[in-house]
Each structure stands twice: as C-alpha cells, then as structure tokens.
Amino acid sequence: MKNLFLSAAIVLGGLTSFASTSPITNSIVKVVSVSDEYTEIKLEELPAPIVESLKKAYPDAVITKAYKNEKSEYKLDVTVGDKVGNLFANADGTWIKK
C-alpha cells in the first residue's frame, strides 16, 4: 500500500512538472514616423539656389514635384533616367540628409 501511494505521488508529481506553462510574451512594435508637414508648391516657386544646386549635382535630373514645410525646407521628387527619388534642401540650396 505504501508503494501504491508512493508511485501515485511520483506519477502525479511528474505530470504537474510537465504541465507547468511558461509565460508567453507578446511584443508589439510600433513604428512612429515623425515627419514635417510638407505642402505641395508649384515648380516655379522653387528658389533659384535650389534649382542651381540640383543642376550642378545632378545635371540630368528632372523635378516632378516640389514641397515646402514651415521651416522653409524643400522636398523634391526627382527623376534621373529611370530612377525616382526624393531630395531635401534648404532655401539657400544646401542639401539636407533625412
């Protein structure tokens, strides 16, 4: 009888150790993009230093759209050959890395 209780205790103890659950953690990743609000402007409204800097740096570049924010920074949608990209510049034609 003692062996029966001992066997039952060992079996039940073994089952409970395998039944323990490990904590499950869910990690949620949020990507927050903080960007300045750019408003579209006409290409004619671009300052001359920006246009000159673009011609100097990228002679084959074509500006498709231009945008301006509150800090007088400009975002240019540019096409060079078959490549399309964005450039950022100050009003004086200095390029900005973003």
Side-chain angles (χ1 to χ4, degrees):
M1 187 78 155
K2 205 186 251 186
N3 289 338
L4 181 63
F5 285 121
L6 186 59
S7 299
I10 292 172
V11 169
L12 289 175
L15 290 177
T16 57
S17 67
F18 290 113
S20 68
T21 59
S22 61
I24 298 173
T25 58
N26 290 333
S27 60
I28 299 173
V29 178
K30 284 188 176 181
V31 176
V32 178
S33 176
V34 178
S35 62
D36 296 327
E37 291 293 323
Y38 285 91
T39 54
E40 188 171 354
I41 60 171
K42 296 178 182 178
L43 297 179
E44 296 83 27
E45 295 176 14
L46 276 175
I50 294 177
V51 177
E52 291 170 10
S53 293
L54 183 67
K55 286 181 183 179
K56 189 178 202 181
Y58 305 99
D60 298 331
V62 176
I63 303 171
T64 54
K65 289 186 179 181
Y67 305 90
K68 181 181 177 182
N69 68 5
E70 295 174 353
K71 300 177 193 175
S72 292
E73 296 175 341
Y74 293 83
K75 174 183 171 186
L76 309 173
D77 290 345
V78 179
T79 304
V80 181
D82 58 345
K83 295 181 183 179
V84 178
N86 295 326
L87 293 173
F88 297 90
N90 286 331
D92 62 356
T94 305
W95 299 112
I96 304 170
K97 289 187 179 184
K98 287 202 177 196

